[in-house]
């Protein structure tokens, strides 16, 4: 049977409904313009397609145009049997504008249309009502009152869709109108919710979150809490993982005779791969907090607050959400950047995203911070010093990105033509706990499986090169050391010996590899001991503060991520730009790393 | 007067658009419901000339100066 096209206004709940119907995990967030590509899914032999939301068939950006074109041509296809138009019942008039236009298009193509009046739960909780039967009559098309969140009305909607699919001819609207704006207004004023009820809550909260004084303070406060908690909340969990790995290592290898196999288990598996697993809780906490913000509706407010300051640097308030998601991973961040209407600002945002402290940098940062910075409290016990340095690292990435963007927008991309900054402010919503937890778990799992394979392979290679030809403990005369001598001159200016050089070079495969490689190398070196935490090994190796700062600066800037480069190529259409970015960020990272090394050294 | 000049908590009716309004602005404003005769309320202003917040019907939008300066409004019917 043919598929169902789900369309409608941005932020009306299309993707949530799609997920409910298909069991797929399409991204849902309380922000207009989350879905940027058509996604098709199937369940029980029924196919559904989730479209990016639009306010009308008048496309403004290239991506909107693509989505609308796709929708129109899908309508002509034999495979499509029904259009399901999502109506946000709390934003009835706006939803009906695109709904009525879709009705016209569906009729022209000879396809039936069904309306889903979503957010019934929200309508109820703000004590507002709509007249579903009257709206159905006005529209001349079947309507189902649903809540994609509470799942009320979904069984009925499925039955309705089946019925329409069996006799589609009976459901082709003949009540279409060309004056959609008038009709949308008319239906809303006659049968929609009473004015003022819906927005009461939102207006009150905005009075605080967007106030001239508290708006800025609360923005800063929320961001600080967010970055701090990645460090502080995750620490107990990380300690737990580290202890478990140590326990497992002792348990399995404790009674084993010394030898190649024991060294492999201890150094490559537990020391190398295990050191990387320690950081998974941070990914979990990070996803969880960004998810909280996405659910809440605050992101649109943050975009507003940041618009002015960001535009001083050539960016826009629209860049805020991509830059924030860049702290988890650049790939979804670049997808999010597609909603930036202005091509110039979009390009600058693409260049800024890889400088955000993404989750792959987290293991590197945490390891170095834990090794370099004493675990003490500052500001009268209010803030941990380590957490504070972490915050500075995040800030440093943002700072470099803004400076670069300002320079580029003043020199390379001077064109003045720009698109408007208009953004809908969605209602504030309580978080959706269960999907949020599931998503955070899923992301942690993805973090392990995606980087895990490559890290495991690298640790095995490093272990083999480090263990042979001499066997245990003789790292200094191993193959790895011989190779290491070659690259040492490159890292000597940063005060780093070949062991760190190898780890840095390996991390061009993926940043997290740095931790696994060091774990393996120090594992081989400390052969006598059983499992030792990597932080202790680092401290014992004569690692200096200056070198540590140099490494932190290097990792904050260098673009060591193949997927980001590939995505950049896809978005910009050529390899030239990503290659240029790769080399310029690499050189900048090295030079600034060296400058910080010299600077910190001069302080002692 | 321009929509941008509307003060916080002031209401007005949209009377038109300036002549030089870029088509892309006009289309977006139109589809979001900024049409002649519609009542609009300025809900919030931000410091440093940042975007303002406007309400029309049950919709709330945040809009930067360059866009809000393209819409003309009149206070009172
Ligand atoms: N209370 C409530 N919230 C809902 C309902 N349906 C969706 N939401 C919330 O509305 C927000 C937007 O949902 P999405 O599914 O991302 O909306 P969309 O239509 O796909 O949005 P775009 O992809 O931006 O066009 C999310 O915060 C959802 O949790 C509902 O029935 N009730
Ligand atoms: Mg969506």
């Amino acid at each position: 049977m043919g598929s169902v096209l789900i369309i409608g206004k941005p932020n009306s709940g299309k993707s949530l409904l799609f997920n409910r119907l298909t069991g797929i995990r399409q991204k849902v967030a309380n922000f207009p313009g989350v879905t940027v590509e058509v996604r098709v899914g199937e369940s029980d032999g029924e196919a559904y397609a989730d479209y990016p939301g639009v306010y009308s068939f008048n496309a403004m950006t290239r991506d909107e145009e693509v989505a609308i074109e796709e929708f129109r041509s899908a309508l002509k296809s034999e495979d499509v049997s029904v259009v399901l138009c999502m109506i946000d019942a709390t934003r009835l008039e706006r939803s009906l504008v695109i709904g009525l236009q879709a009705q016209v298009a569906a009729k022209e193509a000879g396809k039936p249309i069904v309306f889903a009046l979503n957010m019934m739960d929200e309508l109820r909780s703000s004590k507002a009502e709509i007249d579903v039967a009257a709206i159905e009559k006005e529209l001349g098309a079947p309507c189902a009152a649903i809540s994609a969140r509470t799942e009320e009305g979904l069984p009925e909607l499925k039955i309705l869709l089946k019925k329409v699919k069996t006799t589609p001819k009976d459901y082709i609207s003949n009540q279409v109108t060309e004056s959609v704006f008038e009709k949308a207004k008319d239906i809303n004023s006659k049968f929609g919710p009473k004015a003022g009820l819906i927005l009461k809550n939102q207006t009150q909260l905005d009075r605080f979150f967007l106030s001239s004084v508290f708006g800025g303070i609360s923005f800063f406060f929320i961001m600080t809490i967010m970055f701090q908690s990645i460090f502080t909340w995750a620490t107990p969990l990380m300690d737990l993982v580290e202890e478990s790995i140590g326990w497992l290592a002792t348990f399995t290898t404790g009674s084993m005779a010394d030898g190649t196999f024991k060294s492999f288990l201890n150094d490559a598996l537990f020391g190398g791969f295990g050191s990387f697993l320690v950081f998974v809780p941070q990914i979990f906490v990070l996803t969880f907090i960004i998810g909280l913000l996405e659910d809440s509706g605050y992101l649109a407010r943050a975009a507003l607050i940041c618009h002015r300051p960001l535009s001083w640097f050539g960016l826009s308030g629209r860049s805020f959400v991509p830059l924030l998601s860049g702290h988890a991973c650049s790939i979804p961040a670049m997808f999010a950047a597609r909603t930036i209407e202005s091509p110039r600002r979009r390009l600058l945002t693409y260049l800024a995203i890889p400088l955000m402290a993404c989750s792959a940098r987290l293991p590197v940062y945490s390891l170095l911070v834990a090794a370099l910075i004493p675990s003490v409290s500052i500001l009268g016990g209010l803030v941990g010093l380590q957490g504070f340095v972490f915050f500075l690292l995040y800030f440093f990435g943002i700072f470099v990105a803004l400076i670069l963007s300002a320079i580029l927008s003043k020199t390379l991309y001077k064109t003045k033509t720009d698109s408007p900054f208009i953004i809908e402010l969605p209602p504030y919503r309580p978080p959706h706990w269960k999907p949020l937890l599931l998503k955070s778990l899923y992301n942690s799992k993805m973090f392990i499986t995606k980087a895990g394979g490559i890290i495991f392979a690298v640790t095995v290679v490093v272990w083999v090169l480090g263990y042979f030809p001499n066997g245990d403990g003789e790292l200094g005369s191993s193959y790895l050391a011989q190779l290491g001598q070659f690259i040492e001159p490159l890292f000597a200016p940063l005060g780093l010996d070949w062991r760190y050089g190898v780890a840095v070079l390996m991390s061009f495969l993926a940043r997290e590899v740095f931790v696994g490689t060091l774990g393996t190398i120090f594992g081989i070196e400390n052969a006598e001991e059983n499992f030792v935490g990597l932080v202790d090994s680092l401290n014992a190796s004569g690692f200096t503060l200056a070198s540590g700062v140099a490494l932190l600066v290097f990792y904050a800037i260098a673009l060591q991520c193949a997927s980001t480069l590939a995505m950049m190529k896809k978005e910009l259409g050529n390899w030239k730009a990503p290659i240029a970015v790769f080399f310029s960020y690499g050189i900048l990272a090295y030079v600034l790393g060296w400058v910080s090394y010299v600077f910190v050294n001069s302080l002692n | 007067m321009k929509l941008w000049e509307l003060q916080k908590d002031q209401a007005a009716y949209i009377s038109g658009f300036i002549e030089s309004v870029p088509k892309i602005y006009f289309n977006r404003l139109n589809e979001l419901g900024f049409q002649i005769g519609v009542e609009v309320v300025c809900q919030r202003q931000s410091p440093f000339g940042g975007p303002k917040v406007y309400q029309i019907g049950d919709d709330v939008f945040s809009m930067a100066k360059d866009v809000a300066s393209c819409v003309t409004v009149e206070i009172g019917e």
Side-chain angles (χ1 to χ4, degrees):
Chain A
M1 235 192 266
S3 60
V4 177
L5 303 186
I6 309 177
I7 58 143
K9 177 188 157 299
N11 211 40
S12 55
K14 299 178 294 300
S15 300
L16 185 57
L17 177 68
F18 174 83
N19 290 355
R20 296 283 196 215
L21 292 171
T22 61
I24 290 178
R25 223 187 290 267
Q26 169 84 309
K27 181 163 179 159
V28 169
N30 191 8
F31 185 79
V34 174
T35 308
V36 289
E37 273 184 344
V38 183
R39 175 86 189 260
V40 182
E42 231 174 274
S43 151
D44 305 329
E46 313 279 334
Y48 301 90
D50 177 25
Y51 274 72
V54 285
Y55 289 102
S56 82
F57 279 1
N58 250 331
M60 201 167 70
T61 66
R62 187 170 47 92
D63 287 293
E64 278 178 20
E65 203 172 310
V66 171
I68 292 164
E69 270 317 302
E70 257 179 77
F71 173 67
R72 286 196 188 276
S73 66
L75 268 185
K76 295 196 193 98
S77 146
E78 287 294 311
D79 294 338
V80 169
S81 44
V82 192
V83 175
L84 173 60
C85 181
M86 213 45 171
I87 301 284
D88 176 349
T90 67
R91 301 283 187 274
L92 192 60
E93 187 178 339
R94 260 328 31 79
S95 304
L96 282 171
V97 168
I98 171 72
L100 290 164
Q101 287 183 345
Q103 196 177 15
V104 176
K107 179 175 166 80
E108 277 169 8
K111 296 277 152 84
I113 189 167
V114 170
F115 291 92
L117 302 175
N118 193 27
M119 313 267 181
M120 296 309 281
D121 59 317
E122 208 153 87
L123 208 60
R124 216 174 303 124
S125 67
S126 52
K127 302 200 174 56
E129 280 167 16
I130 58 168
D131 188 339
V132 179
I135 293 174
E136 186 163 43
K137 199 150 158 261
E138 279 299 311
L139 290 171
C143 290
I146 65 162
S147 162
R149 175 150 188 177
T150 64
E151 304 194 48
E152 69 179 90
L154 291 201
E156 292 82 352
L157 176 65
K158 280 190 204 165
I159 294 169
L160 174 63
L161 286 172
K162 274 229 171 72
K163 229 167 60 185
V164 175
K165 276 183 172 182
T166 20
T167 54
K169 293 273 177 302
D170 299 352
Y171 292 94
I172 297 173
S173 317
N174 40 27
Q175 243 168 281
V176 301
T177 171
E178 291 295 334
S179 47
V180 292
F181 286 107
E182 289 73 20
K183 187 160 174 183
K185 197 182 187 71
D186 188 50
I187 294 180
N188 182 48
S189 64
K190 281 192 193 138
F191 312 112
K194 241 202 237 98
L197 285 177
I198 300 279
L199 289 178
K200 225 171 106 194
N201 222 335
Q202 173 174 350
T203 311
Q204 266 168 6
L205 284 170
D206 275 340
R207 220 171 269 283
F208 177 77
F209 283 115
L210 295 179
S211 100
S212 313
V213 184
F214 291 109
I217 296 176
S218 55
F219 174 80
F220 192 74
F221 190 71
I222 290 171
M223 292 298 126
T224 311
I225 296 273
M226 170 178 157
F227 291 130
Q228 267 279 315
S229 49
I230 296 168
F231 197 82
T232 38
W233 292 3
T235 307
L237 284 170
M238 290 167 69
D239 290 345
L240 189 73
V241 176
E242 181 155 17
E243 270 166 39
S244 314
I245 292 171
W247 180 83
L248 200 66
T250 320
F251 180 76
T252 44
T253 63
S255 53
M256 243 181 230
D258 280 352
T260 312
F261 187 58
K262 181 174 178 179
S263 165
F264 175 76
L265 284 184
N266 256 338
D267 307 337
L269 193 67
F270 295 119
F273 192 67
S275 309
F276 153 77
L277 287 184
V278 170
F279 299 98
V280 174
Q282 285 189 325
I283 308 303
F284 179 84
V285 172
L286 177 73
T287 318
F288 188 80
I289 295 178
I290 292 191
L292 271 184
L293 282 177
E294 282 175 350
D295 267 0
S296 68
Y298 185 71
L299 290 186
R301 276 78 187 179
L304 185 176
I305 292 171
C306 288
H307 177 71
R308 205 52 199 144
L310 283 177
S311 59
W312 293 327
F313 300 96
L315 299 168
S316 125
R318 286 267 184 197
S319 315
F320 176 80
V321 172
L323 292 181
L324 182 75
S325 10
H327 286 92
C329 176
S330 293
I331 307 300
M334 287 180 141
F335 273 115
R338 287 207 188 157
T339 57
I340 302 173
E341 294 98 348
S342 147
R344 176 175 67 107
R345 292 185 171 177
R346 187 165 44 200
L347 183 64
L348 289 172
T349 309
Y350 283 147
L351 296 179
I353 287 172
L355 292 164
M356 299 303 110
C358 76
S359 53
R361 285 183 171 107
L362 271 179
V364 182
Y365 285 180
S366 322
L367 174 69
L368 295 175
V369 166
L372 295 168
I373 310 293
S375 169
V376 295
S377 301
I378 53 169
L379 299 181
L382 218 56
V383 181
L385 183 61
Q386 292 186 335
F388 179 71
V389 172
F390 229 66
F391 183 74
L392 285 186
L393 283 167
Y394 277 107
F395 182 77
F396 179 70
I398 298 168
F399 177 76
V400 174
L402 289 181
I403 299 290
L404 273 183
S405 169
I407 296 173
L408 288 175
S409 78
K410 296 254 150 49
T411 51
L412 287 179
Y413 308 108
K414 263 194 289 205
T415 41
K416 223 36 237 142
T417 48
D418 240 336
S419 320
F421 176 82
I422 314 180
I423 197 171
E424 184 182 349
L425 298 184
Y428 290 95
R429 295 200 166 104
H432 231 125
W433 297 108
K434 206 176 135 211
L436 190 55
L437 277 172
L438 287 177
K439 184 169 123 188
S440 311
L441 281 174
Y442 176 79
N443 270 15
S444 316
K445 208 180 85 196
M446 282 303 289
F447 180 69
I448 300 176
T449 48
K450 242 176 59 193
I454 193 161
I455 289 175
F456 185 69
V458 169
T459 47
V460 169
V461 170
V462 169
W463 176 80
V464 169
L465 290 176
Y467 189 79
F468 295 106
N470 309 304
D472 236 349
E474 299 291 328
L475 184 69
S477 53
S478 66
Y479 293 132
L480 194 66
Q482 290 163 30
L483 284 176
Q485 314 302 331
F486 269 115
I487 53 164
E488 198 158 70
L490 190 60
F491 292 94
L494 306 182
L496 297 168
D497 65 37
W498 68 269
R499 294 171 300 186
Y500 292 93
V502 168
V504 172
L505 278 193
M506 288 296 174
S507 67
F508 275 90
L509 292 170
R511 293 182 178 101
E512 308 92 320
V513 169
F514 178 77
V515 175
T517 308
L518 275 188
T520 309
I521 292 181
F522 284 116
I524 298 173
E525 200 165 55
N526 304 333
E528 332 61 73
E529 291 147 74
N530 278 325
F531 179 83
V532 183
L534 189 48
V535 171
D536 299 329
S537 308
L538 231 65
N539 280 330
S541 79
F543 189 55
T544 67
L545 180 66
S547 300
V549 173
L551 268 184
L552 285 173
V553 169
F554 179 85
Y555 274 97
I557 299 174
L559 207 174
Q560 301 161 293
C561 176
S563 329
T564 304
L565 292 169
M567 177 81 183
M568 232 184 217
K569 189 244 157 195
K570 192 172 146 227
E571 296 294 305
L572 303 178
N574 62 53
W575 268 116
K576 243 177 37 207
I579 289 175
V581 174
F582 174 77
F583 280 106
S584 30
Y585 283 17
I587 293 169
L588 185 68
Y590 186 84
V591 171
L592 286 187
W594 176 73
V595 169
S596 351
Y597 176 74
V598 173
F599 176 73
V600 175
N601 258 347
S602 73
L603 294 181
N604 317 340
Chain B
M1 89 193 233
K2 304 264 177 66
L3 177 58
W4 182 254
E5 293 157 36
L6 212 58
Q7 296 300 308
K8 181 166 171 276
D9 293 330
Q10 246 185 337
Y13 290 87
I14 295 177
S15 57
F17 297 86
I18 60 166
E19 237 166 73
S20 57
V21 57
K23 193 165 168 1
I24 191 166
Y25 288 22
F26 177 77
N27 284 345
R28 169 113 314 181
L29 285 164
N30 201 47
E31 68 179 14
L32 294 181
F34 289 84
Q35 292 163 350
I36 294 177
V38 172
E39 186 184 29
V40 44
V41 182
C42 175
Q43 274 199 347
R44 311 222 60 88
Q45 298 170 244
S46 7
F48 311 117
K52 294 187 182 180
V53 178
Y54 298 101
Q55 179 198 343
I56 47 171
D58 278 334
D59 299 303
V60 182
F61 300 100
S62 152
M63 213 188 280
K65 182 175 178 183
D66 50 349
V67 195
S69 307
C70 292
V71 185
T72 58
V73 294
E74 267 166 35
I75 296 179
E77 209 21 331

